[in-house]
Amino acid sequence: MSTEITEQNAENQTWRDLPLDLLISAMSHLEIKDNVRASSVCKSWYEAAVSVRVTEQPPWLIHFPKSRNSYEFYNPSNSEKHPMELPESLSGFKVRYSKDGWLLMSKNISSDFVLFNPFTMDLVVLPYLELWYGYQLVGFSCPPTSSDCVVFTIKDYDPGHVTIRTWSPGEATWTSKQVYESQFLDVKHNYLVFSNGLFYCLNLRNDLAVFDPSLRTWKVLDVTPPTRPDHIDDESWCAGKFMVGYKGEIFVVCTFGNEQPLVFKLDLARGVWEKMENLGGLTMFVSVNSCESRTYVDEGMLRNSVYFPKLCDDETRCVRYSFDERRYDPVEHSVNWGKQSSSEDIWIKAPEYGYEMV
């Protein structure tokens, strides 16, 4: 008799009756959008879903409101500002790329490159680099405190001649790699993301190429460019782009004045850019020289949104686009993002909680 009751109870059990530890284990494998949906099923699912959500601190915006030697950190979650001064040795330097709390900086068309941490004031001076009229695209893989750090520069000197140079901690000179293929880079509007151990490069024509620093190989991928809407002119389509990486995924955000941005996710298996209707719960922070993304940001920040490197006129918030609300905030942001290639404002990974500004 007891056996029959046990079997009947087992048949009547549902997913809602799973032990909390099993629910938590299952929830830990869900993306944020699925986590949020699961949390609405019942009380036990809500508790399990919320318990595994890791709140991520949004990046800060480095804003240059006054001169090249002064700047501000702007925290978009609470609108706090922290004015800072660059060291005298970096006078005249500009930010070229940002990753993991570090900045890659150089003087205009200069061969003097440095890696600078504005929170700790640590400075790494890179070896002299002969660029001949400046770089076209630069970036780095991770902080120079790691032996895995690779600083990457790429330059097209003339048609069919691509030169790639890299540097890693402990090296006294740059390592060169020349590739004789069709010219890839453009005079402007080139984009770079480091993901899955590779540097992904996107040019004005939406061609995509990768450089593998471990194998020192360069390859232009057979990927069909994103489809341009009929009502968007060629100049706007080519200019208003941002490339974003997130946990191995590569995205392109295309903007056109006050219209809704278009977002495409790279599908390497199919060789296409897949159009997305929304960000699936992601929050993206985009700028010309570097982009950041988060899954579950602080209270006060909007998920499924894109934050741009531009403060509103009242300077209390950033311009953003919400895919949930289908609008910009402010609605009339008066900025054509396709014309913002010269913007020096850039997002940087913020320090851990409890950090005090020096």
Side-chain angles (χ1 to χ4, degrees):
M1 181 71 175
S2 59
T3 303
E4 293 179 359
I5 294 176
T6 301
E7 292 178 351
Q8 184 177 359
N9 289 339
E11 291 177 356
N12 292 334
Q13 281 187 328
T14 68
W15 283 94
R16 299 184 182 185
D17 301 317
L18 284 176
L20 183 59
D21 58 341
L22 290 181
L23 278 174
I24 291 175
S25 177
M27 296 293 180
S28 66
H29 295 284
L30 297 180
E31 293 290 339
I32 184 62
K33 62 178 180 179
D34 297 320
N35 178 293
V36 172
R37 291 172 181 168
S39 67
S40 64
V41 172
C42 62
K43 182 178 179 180
S44 61
W45 279 46
Y46 174 82
E47 293 176 354
V50 171
S51 70
V52 298
R53 289 182 193 169
V54 178
T55 301
E56 297 180 286
Q57 189 174 10
W60 290 0
L61 185 68
I62 299 182
H63 178 54
F64 297 86
K66 298 177 181 179
S67 70
R68 300 219 181 247
N69 296 330
S70 68
Y71 58 98
E72 289 179 339
F73 287 122
Y74 173 81
N75 185 341
S77 65
N78 57 21
S79 300
E80 288 185 356
K81 294 180 180 180
H82 306 277
M84 299 290 291
E85 293 289 331
L86 282 173
E88 290 185 8
S89 61
L90 297 183
S91 177
F93 277 68
K94 296 177 64 176
V95 178
R96 309 300 184 181
Y97 194 76
S98 170
K99 187 174 177 63
D100 296 333
W102 285 76
L103 304 174
L104 181 59
M105 306 178 69
S106 77
K107 290 186 177 179
N108 195 30
I109 67 171
S110 168
S111 300
D112 299 323
F113 275 89
V114 299
L115 284 165
F116 175 61
N117 187 318
F119 304 110
T120 65
M121 294 296 169
D122 289 335
L123 181 68
V124 178
V125 179
L126 277 59
Y128 176 80
L129 175 62
E130 181 58 72
L131 287 177
W132 297 300
Y133 306 110
Y135 72 94
Q136 282 178 276
L137 197 60
V138 297
F140 59 99
S141 61
C142 61
T145 51
S146 169
S147 59
D148 294 329
C149 175
V150 177
V151 180
F152 169 87
T153 74
I154 179 171
K155 175 74 177 177
D156 287 346
Y157 290 102
D158 43 61
H161 189 177
V162 176
T163 299
I164 295 171
R165 292 183 174 90
T166 60
W167 173 88
S168 293
E171 296 180 350
T173 61
W174 292 80
T175 301
S176 295
K177 168 73 174 181
Q178 292 185 339
V179 183
Y180 295 89
E181 293 184 3
S182 59
Q183 190 171 21
F184 181 81
L185 297 182
D186 301 286
V187 175
K188 56 183 179 178
H189 302 308
N190 301 296
Y191 307 89
L192 180 69
V193 162
F194 182 78
S195 179
N196 298 318
L198 303 172
F199 288 99
Y200 287 80
C201 305
L202 188 73
N203 65 15
L204 180 69
R205 303 176 301 278
N206 292 301
D207 298 324
L208 186 67
V210 295
F211 176 72
D212 186 331
S214 62
L215 301 177
R216 301 201 60 77
T217 56
W218 165 264
K219 182 181 181 181
V220 179
L221 301 179
D222 185 15
V223 176
T224 303
T227 303
R228 177 176 66 86
D230 293 337
H231 68 288
I232 303 298
D233 62 82
D234 288 338
E235 181 181 2
S236 297
W237 177 242
C238 292
K241 288 194 304 252
F242 304 93
M243 188 161 66
V244 187
Y246 179 74
K247 291 187 176 181
E249 302 284 359
I250 305 294
F251 302 86
V252 168
V253 179
C254 302
T255 60
F256 323 98
N258 286 306
E259 293 192 40
Q260 173 182 322
L262 297 180
V263 181
F264 300 87
K265 183 171 71 172
L266 178 63
D267 186 336
L268 272 178
R270 296 169 51 213
V272 298
W273 289 96
E274 178 185 0
K275 184 180 177 182
M276 303 178 63
E277 295 304 319
N278 56 63
L279 302 183
L282 276 176
T283 303
M284 293 183 178
F285 302 83
V286 301
S287 65
V288 172
N289 292 322
S290 188
C291 301
E292 296 275 345
S293 54
R294 301 289 187 268
T295 49
Y296 193 72
V297 290
D298 282 333
E299 183 178 355
M301 303 292 294
L302 291 181
R303 293 190 295 273
N304 202 27
S305 299
V306 179
Y307 283 76
F308 294 92
K310 168 78 173 174
L311 296 181
C312 300
D313 292 337
D314 57 11
E315 295 191 346
T316 60
R317 66 191 191 281
C318 284
V319 173
R320 71 187 180 205
Y321 182 87
S322 169
F323 282 88
D324 291 331
E325 300 175 358
R326 299 290 174 181
R327 68 179 182 90
Y328 278 96
D329 179 28
V331 176
E332 296 297 333
H333 59 81
S334 301
V335 173
N336 183 346
W337 296 111
K339 308 297 183 183
Q340 294 301 302
S341 59
S342 61
S343 173
E344 295 182 12
D345 294 351
I346 189 171
W347 296 100
I348 185 172
K349 182 180 179 181
E352 298 297 327
Y353 288 104
Y355 176 85
E356 294 184 3
M357 299 299 296
V358 295

